[in-house]
Amino acid sequence: VLHTVKYYRDYLSHNIRPDGREFDKYRPILVNMGSVSTADGSAIAKVGRTTVVCGVKAELCQPKAETANEGFLIPNVELPPLCSPKFRPGPPTEQAQVATQLVADILKNSECLDLKSLCIFPDKLAWCLYADLICLDLDGSLIDACMIALIAALKSVTLPAIEYDAALDNKQVNMKDRKPLSITNIPSSTTFVMFDDKILIDPTVDEEELCTALVTIVVKKNELSFIHKPGGNSITDDQLLNCVEESKKRAEYLKLCVII
C-alpha cells in the first residue's frame, strides 16, 4: 500500500478496520501449556498472529540481603530476526529491553507471585525463576501475548521439595515430591492505539506504527493495576476510562476462554 495512512482512514471512516474487525473487537487467543519439555514450566500464546513461547527455568540461589526471605522471578523478552524483518542478529534491541522492563514492572505492580513462597531458608536458599519469552511472530500487542504466555507458563511450573540443613549448608532435592507455584494474582494486559480520534483495541503491528498514541492497561481482580503510555498524543480522561472498562471485559474473556 503506497499511502498507508489514507488507506487506514478510508477503512476507519466506515467504522471497520482493514482486517475486518470493529474498533472494539480483539483477535482470537490460543494458549498451549507444557509445550517445552526441557523447561520447568512452559506455554505458547497466540494473539492473532503474534506468537510468544515462554519457558521457565528454576534454579537455587541465595536471596539478596535486603530481601532475605524472598526468591526471584526474572523475565527476559527476546525479539529474534525470525519474528519480524525489522530485527537483525546481534545484541538485544531497544524494543526488546523496553518489553523486558515492562513485563518486570507489571509483575511487580500486580504482585502476581508471592516471592516469599520461593524462599526455602531466609538469607541462605531460595528459588530463582528465569522466564524466557521468545517472540516467534510479531504482529502487534506484544506485551499482551507475553503476559498470557508467562502466566500460563507459571501455572504449569512445579518445584521439587527441598530439605535444607542450615548448620551444615547441606541441601537434598526430592524430585518426586513437587508442588505448583502459589499464584496470587492474574494480571491481564490489553493494548489500545489511537488513530486520529478513534481508539482501536488489540492493534496489529501496522496499526501500532501508524497510530498517534498507544496505551497498555493491566487489570487484576477487576481493578486497575498498571498503565503504560509511551509518548504520543494525549488521551482524555473519558477515553482512558473507556479503555479501562474494555480491559476489564477482556480480562473476564481470558478467564472464560483461556485456562490461565
Side-chain angles (χ1 to χ4, degrees):
V1 181
L2 282 174
H3 304 287
T4 48
V5 176
K6 183 182 184 303
Y7 173 76
Y8 264 83
R9 280 204 180 107
D10 289 345
Y11 268 97
L12 300 181
S13 65
H14 292 91
N15 292 325
I16 198 163
R17 292 148 83 168
D19 61 5
R21 285 185 292 154
E22 294 172 21
F23 298 165
D24 60 347
K25 290 288 182 269
Y26 27 80
R27 295 171 291 178
I29 296 168
L30 294 172
V31 179
N32 183 11
M33 293 168 71
S35 325
V36 184
S37 59
T38 52
D40 293 299
S42 63
I44 294 177
K46 286 193 74 169
V47 178
R49 266 185 41 218
T50 298
T51 309
V52 175
V53 58
C54 178
V56 179
K57 203 75 179 163
E59 290 183 7
L60 291 169
C61 66
Q62 185 175 359
K64 286 183 181 176
E66 60 268 27
T67 52
N69 62 341
E70 291 183 4
F72 304 90
L73 173 56
I74 302 171
N76 180 52
V77 178
E78 290 183 35
L79 298 172
L82 170 74
C83 75
S84 169
K86 290 194 300 181
F87 304 118
R88 296 283 177 269
T93 61
E94 185 182 347
Q95 190 175 345
Q97 293 177 52
V98 168
T100 296
Q101 188 58 52
L102 197 50
V103 170
D105 290 344
I106 290 170
L107 289 171
K108 186 178 178 183
N109 274 277
S110 65
E111 296 174 334
C112 158
L113 198 62
D114 181 12
L115 296 180
K116 289 178 181 174
S117 68
L118 297 178
C119 182
I120 297 160
F121 196 94
D123 206 30
K124 293 286 185 181
L125 199 64
W127 285 109
C128 179
L129 303 180
Y130 293 99
D132 287 313
L133 295 138
I134 301 169
C135 183
L136 304 180
D137 193 350
L138 180 60
D139 189 29
S141 301
L142 172 66
I143 300 301
D144 302 357
C146 281
M147 290 311 300
I148 293 169
L150 179 54
I151 297 298
L154 289 174
K155 281 235 167 194
S156 69
V157 171
T158 55
L159 298 176
I162 306 286
E163 289 181 19
Y164 180 67
D165 188 333
L168 299 172
D169 193 26
N170 181 40
K171 52 183 175 285
Q172 286 185 319
V173 183
N174 184 350
M175 298 301 287
K176 291 181 180 177
D177 182 14
R178 303 179 74 94
K179 290 184 179 178
L181 293 176
S182 59
I183 296 172
T184 49
N185 287 309
I186 295 179
S188 169
S189 166
T190 306
T191 300
F192 301 84
V193 292
M194 190 179 231
F195 194 95
D196 295 334
D197 60 339
K198 299 172 178 67
I199 290 183
L200 318 177
I201 193 172
D202 183 19
T204 62
V205 73
D206 291 336
E207 289 168 345
E208 286 185 353
E209 287 173 355
L210 293 170
C211 73
T212 51
L214 182 145
V215 61
T216 298
I217 293 173
V218 181
V219 295
K220 62 164 187 181
K221 292 181 178 175
N222 215 30
E223 293 178 356
L224 181 62
S225 171
F226 188 85
I227 293 179
H228 175 68
K229 185 180 177 298
N233 291 359
S234 59
I235 294 179
T236 66
D237 291 348
D238 285 345
Q239 287 172 328
L240 194 58
L241 284 171
N242 286 338
C243 289
V244 172
E245 288 307 312
E246 286 294 336
S247 300
K248 289 178 181 177
K249 287 180 194 172
R250 191 165 186 239
E252 291 300 316
Y253 168 79
L254 279 172
K255 284 181 191 173
L256 292 171
C257 300
V258 187
I259 310 169
I260 61 168

